[in-house]
Amino acid sequence: LLRLANRSGTRLILVVREPLDIMASALDVQRRQQYGHTRRFYLERVWEAHQGLLKLISAANDTAEIFVVRYEDWVRDHQRSIDAVAEWLGLPLGGRVFEFPTSADSSDPYTTSLHGQNPSPEMIGAFRQRLPTHVWHYLARVFSGVRSALAYPELKFDRRLASIGALTFRKLTHGP
């Protein structure tokens, strides 16, 4: 994608999700030990993916057009998101509605626990309930630059809680 982003006239559509919700999901998957990976594996993948996303955005700034679709916006009003993408691409949809699939492909080993369910608005921002308070304060500090680059609203975090979260986070990444 980096090579493609450096070509003049390239148009990229990026679908992004709140990094803290991704972290909460990754820890849930690890807790269930669905794939045998460690916490450290999931947390490193999330960090690397977002750093790659920032590199892509930076590389494409002068040569490519980028349209960012936030997962949360899609879930809240997927038709509005589809219309915005179609307008950006210059495609007339004429108000046609697209539906989410009603079931996931069970042959895909990385399909999440959403089998047979549509994405849920209740899961947006659920990291506050799914992660210990001090851990999400720490992750809010760690991902503040990424969140800002992706136009997520600023999260206020408590520095004292973030420091405690840093210690807990290190323990999480070194255990099974």
Side-chain angles (χ1 to χ4, degrees), residues 1-75:
L1 277 177
L2 279 173
R3 212 172 314 141
L4 184 60
N6 285 316
R7 291 179 48 197
S8 183
T10 299
R11 301 179 87 193
L12 300 172
I13 299 170
L14 303 177
V15 179
V16 299
R17 185 176 177 204
E18 164 64 67
L20 276 68
D21 278 336
I22 295 172
M23 296 296 275
S25 292
L27 288 175
D28 285 349
V29 167
Q30 191 283 325
R31 236 180 268 121
R32 290 189 305 265
Q33 298 185 358
Q34 285 179 277
Y35 307 112
H37 298 301
T38 64
R39 293 178 192 121
R40 181 180 204 88
F41 171 86
Y42 289 107
L43 300 176
E44 286 175 353
R45 297 298 87 71
V46 172
W47 177 256
E48 290 167 2
H50 282 89
Q51 293 310 304
L53 187 60
L54 292 179
K55 280 184 191 173
L56 179 64
I57 291 169
S58 176
N61 272 343
D62 296 330
T63 55
E65 291 181 65
I66 296 178
F67 189 85
V68 176
V69 178
R70 294 187 333 186
Y71 170 84
E72 296 79 9
D73 298 335
W74 180 275
V75 170

Side-chain angles (χ1 to χ4, degrees), residues 18 20-25 72 76 122-137 139-140 147 152-157:
E18 164 64 67
L20 276 68
D21 278 336
I22 295 172
M23 296 296 275
S25 292
E72 296 79 9
R76 285 185 186 111
E122 291 79 33
M123 295 305 289
I124 295 171
F127 65 85
R128 289 178 179 89
Q129 293 81 38
R130 297 169 68 200
L131 293 171
T133 302
H134 54 284
V135 171
W136 81 251
H137 278 258
L139 294 173
R147 293 181 81 260
Y152 282 98
E154 181 182 357
L155 273 178
K156 300 290 184 198
F157 58 87

Side-chain angles (χ1 to χ4, degrees), residues 133-134 136-144 154-163:
T133 302
H134 54 284
W136 81 251
H137 278 258
Y138 170 67
L139 294 173
R141 185 178 77 192
V142 169
F143 283 100
S144 62
E154 181 182 357
L155 273 178
K156 300 290 184 198
F157 58 87
D158 181 291
R159 292 189 185 286
R160 185 181 61 76
L161 285 174
S163 295

Side-chain angles (χ1 to χ4, degrees), residues 80-145:
R80 184 186 308 212
S81 295
I82 291 169
D83 291 345
V85 170
E87 182 180 332
W88 183 74
L89 291 171
L91 300 173
L93 287 182
R96 288 189 303 190
V97 176
F98 292 88
E99 297 297 326
F100 282 116
T102 56
S103 64
D105 179 2
S106 60
S107 66
D108 178 359
Y110 290 99
T111 298
T112 69
S113 59
L114 289 175
H115 291 288
Q117 299 176 21
N118 287 333
S120 166
E122 291 79 33
M123 295 305 289
I124 295 171
F127 65 85
R128 289 178 179 89
Q129 293 81 38
R130 297 169 68 200
L131 293 171
T133 302
H134 54 284
V135 171
W136 81 251
H137 278 258
Y138 170 67
L139 294 173
R141 185 178 77 192
V142 169
F143 283 100
S144 62

